[in-house]
Amino acid sequence: AHVVGRRQPRTHHCGSIFPPRLRASLTMMQLKSSLAWLLTSAGAVAALAAQNYSFTAVPKDVSFEGFSGQFREYHSQKSNVYGHLVTVPLGIFAFASLVNAATRSTSVTAYLAALYVASLMDHVPLEILALCVGTMALLLAAARMAKLSLTTSVGCLLLAYAGQELVHYTAFEETYAQSYSNAGSEWASLFLEHCYFLLPLCFDAVTPFSQQNIHGTEYTYASASMLAVRDHFYWLLPLCLLVAGNYFIDSDAGFAPAFVEKRRMLHCNMGAPEERQALASIRAWAMSHNPPKDISSHWWYTDLDKENKSAFDSLVGCDTIMNMFYAKFQPEQYVVEPLPGMNEVYVTGPVKKRSSDTVFYTEHIDGPWGLYPFASVYRCIVGMDDNDAVTTHFPVSEFKLAAKTGDVLAFDFNREVHYITRDEQGRTEQDGYRVVLKFHYCMYPKSMTILGKFLGLLNVGYNMLFRALFLATISPDSVVSKIGAFFVVFVTELVNAMWLYVGPHNALYVVACALIARTFNSYDIFLALTSFVHYCRYIGTYYSRRDINYGNFKRDVLFFKTIAVTQLVGLYVLNFFNADAPAMCMSVSVSMIIVGYMISALATKALGMNYTYFGIELGKCEPKWVSDFPYGVIPHPMITGQLFAMTGMLLNSNFTQKYVWLVPIHMLMYTVHMCQVSASRGVGWLKRALRRLTPALRSQEIFDVHAGHYPAKVKEE
């Protein structure tokens, strides 16, 4: 649906410039993705069923030695045993390749393999388990590199089965399966146990030939704590993957909040003559529909005529845009796939209160899938005219631009906060309209095709539903439409606040830490996982500096520092009144804490928030000399104050006995960062001194380590 023109049927059209697999219609893409998703779901259900079966099917009073003894009776010849070490891994390799080909992803196979080896912990000795883990890892890596087709995978599976029969035949030994072939109704369960234990049984059978004395020693089985982890593995693994996947979303990202976060907003300009000609053609088509100036106008890609569809397609896949994305999503690791079902031509509307158009002038995030792991959907705003009136702002990335002809602003559809402002005095559009194109792309790791395809479908579906709601409330003239408009604006502001001040992925990380700590009944786990995140971000960001997502950096370190300090002070207070230390000692302790945190607070006030959080070092603030107390009196007062306060906490003996590791690690991390800052400033001072001693270089621009990654003129003192 759109404002100008009639409703059109919605189909995908990718154009001839895309690879053949991207030329399919929306219906075919949905069919393939749905089939792949069903296969994945079936595999996950089968894995859980197999896991639960393996936990309960084998009686606890049957040891692995006894079970493997029966297997060794049918594998006594060296040729038979070593032959199995070829055919069994070949079968596993073929099965892994089969799953990879069926799901077009390697992540499903890895997940199933992790469930399998975890389920073995209850029955298999650790020596054999380690061999199984190493073998599975090598076979999964081989299957990923081989990229066999479905037919070839099935052929390899049959070859492995035939080879296994052949080695038994040449060794003149019956197969173990023949021993229970007449078991009647129990045959199925015995066959499943045989398949389930086949790999560890092969390793157990080969040990008498390679290490004669292994069965003279006692096997080592998993401890109770290891089994406790295993028992919760079926939900711990997905939870950890979900948390890691919310951080590991591009080639520059890490897999936890402690890693440096780079800016994800991208920008380029389409300046080639053919690109400018295509932009002019589409804009002329939009103006031919006489869009109104009192509301925004939208046309789907499918509303374009044949000529302009071709122009649109050429822009979507142009080298300028793709190279921009490949700088952030390395083509060796990621797929960058267009989403034609979301693409549109858009004419900006005026500022209006209590209308869905208000959303564009409010800080907002376009999509709801911000917690989807490993994959991203990007929206590109492409300028098509000489616009000075409407500026797009990215407050977190601290970037703004009035998109003119050829300018491309690319940002995460589900994670990047943005808004627009209008300056009527700056209008330079030739006809009074600001027209842009909206391109959309889905980025996902090559090993996670299913996740990427499904995210694309989710965003296409959401975009259609939200657009229907948006159009119904663009000019609210009834009670229902006014309520809808209020709902759109309210939810937008609520979600925006969550992203600005907390970060849903950070909240997810904290919740996951709490669940893990609750599962193992250990608060220390939560304390350790949430107390030192901000230090790692300090150290990593100060070292990296380039292209830092400054808004997210400040938000994250403030969030995690608040959690860390709250826990530190809270635990100190809880252990204060029953402390064994003398009253005088506790008075000194409290005094040191108060004085230390006051010094740190005064230092923060003297610098300001941006200067406190590396504004100079990251090139966000101009260098300035600060002489307000405590600067000029106490060296590194912010960190020194924190260390002084924590030293006071050490005087509470009851607190330090219960959490002997907590305060020392806090102090160690602060000391490491203080040394890092001092060393960095020393290098900066040395460079400036060398410039002063070299007259020929005094007027040149230099790179100042302390001042940040930007040129600074050397000045005479």
Side-chain angles (χ1 to χ4, degrees), residues 173-385:
E173 288 187 319
E174 292 186 355
T175 63
Y176 180 54
Q178 289 177 314
S179 66
Y180 56 82
S181 58
N182 298 322
S185 59
E186 296 182 2
W187 179 88
S189 62
L190 292 172
F191 177 74
L192 287 176
E193 290 178 12
H194 183 185
C195 294
Y196 176 75
F197 283 119
L198 187 55
L199 182 62
L201 286 174
C202 289
F203 284 126
D204 178 79
V206 77
T207 49
F209 305 110
S210 59
Q211 194 174 352
Q212 293 290 337
N213 65 341
I214 190 169
H215 289 289
T217 61
E218 213 175 295
Y219 272 128
T220 304
Y221 283 87
S223 63
S225 58
M226 295 176 64
L227 292 178
V229 175
R230 192 288 316 276
D231 289 341
H232 299 286
F233 190 77
Y234 66 92
W235 67 266
L236 276 178
L237 178 61
L239 179 64
C240 292
L241 289 175
L242 176 62
V243 173
N246 271 276
Y247 292 95
F248 192 71
I249 49 180
D250 57 56
S251 297
D252 296 328
F255 52 86
F259 287 85
V260 175
E261 183 177 346
K262 301 288 187 177
R263 191 174 68 177
R264 306 191 73 234
M265 204 287 302
L266 306 174
H267 171 237
C268 67
N269 184 276
M270 295 192 294
E274 60 274 14
E275 295 171 344
R276 294 298 179 93
Q277 184 178 356
L279 291 172
S281 175
I282 297 173
R283 192 182 193 282
W285 177 91
M287 291 299 97
S288 68
H289 287 73
N290 298 318
K293 292 188 176 182
D294 58 337
I295 57 175
S296 59
S297 303
H298 310 258
W299 295 272
W300 292 119
Y301 160 80
T302 52
D303 296 327
L304 296 170
D305 55 33
K306 184 176 181 181
E307 178 183 354
N308 285 293
K309 280 184 179 178
S310 178
F312 201 102
D313 289 337
S314 67
L315 295 173
V316 169
C318 69
D319 291 340
T320 303
I321 291 182
M322 300 310 290
N323 289 335
M324 174 189 68
F325 282 130
Y326 289 150
K328 191 69 175 176
F329 301 89
Q330 296 297 323
E332 298 82 10
Q333 303 171 342
Y334 281 86
V335 174
V336 178
E337 187 172 291
L339 294 176
M342 297 176 67
N343 293 343
E344 63 177 300
V345 182
Y346 170 72
V347 180
T348 305
V351 183
K352 298 171 66 177
K353 293 184 178 181
R354 288 185 288 274
S355 163
S356 53
D357 265 340
T358 308
V359 170
F360 298 116
Y361 296 90
T362 306
E363 291 183 347
H364 67 282
I365 290 177
D366 289 321
W369 314 114
L371 289 179
Y372 197 93
F374 296 108
S376 304
V377 167
Y378 263 67
R379 165 171 281 178
C380 289
I381 303 295
V382 183
M384 302 180 67
D385 42 48

Side-chain angles (χ1 to χ4, degrees), residues 164 437 710:
Q164 191 163 299
L437 300 179
Y710 58 90

Side-chain angles (χ1 to χ4, degrees), residues 444-586:
Y444 53 87
K446 290 184 175 180
S447 61
M448 299 182 180
T449 304
I450 294 174
L451 280 176
K453 293 286 187 182
F454 192 65
L455 178 62
L457 291 176
L458 287 176
N459 280 273
V460 170
Y462 168 79
N463 199 47
M464 295 177 64
L465 293 175
F466 190 80
R467 177 54 50 78
L469 176 61
F470 177 87
L471 294 176
T473 57
I474 196 170
S475 296
D477 52 4
S478 65
V479 175
V480 175
S481 61
K482 289 180 179 179
I483 293 175
F486 172 80
F487 174 77
V488 170
V489 176
F490 174 77
V491 173
T492 298
E493 293 177 346
L494 184 65
V495 173
N496 172 69
M498 184 67 175
W499 279 99
L500 280 179
Y501 302 115
V502 176
H505 53 315
N506 293 330
L508 176 65
Y509 174 83
V510 173
V511 170
C513 293
L515 287 175
I516 294 172
R518 179 66 181 86
T519 300
F520 297 103
N521 198 27
S522 173
Y523 171 68
D524 285 356
I525 294 177
F526 180 83
L527 186 62
L529 292 176
T530 57
S531 291
F532 313 111
V533 172
H534 58 295
Y535 298 121
C536 297
R537 286 291 288 273
Y538 289 157
I539 295 170
T541 301
Y542 196 90
Y543 174 79
S544 178
R545 303 192 185 191
R546 294 187 183 275
D547 203 25
I548 297 297
N549 193 331
Y550 190 51
N552 278 5
F553 165 69
K554 290 190 293 184
R555 178 199 66 192
D556 293 352
V557 295
L558 281 172
F559 176 71
F560 283 105
K561 183 175 182 179
T562 300
I563 293 177
V565 173
T566 300
Q567 293 183 99
L568 187 63
V569 175
L571 293 173
Y572 176 87
V573 172
L574 289 176
N575 292 275
F576 178 80
F577 296 103
N578 57 348
D580 298 330
M584 179 61 70
C585 183
M586 297 306 297

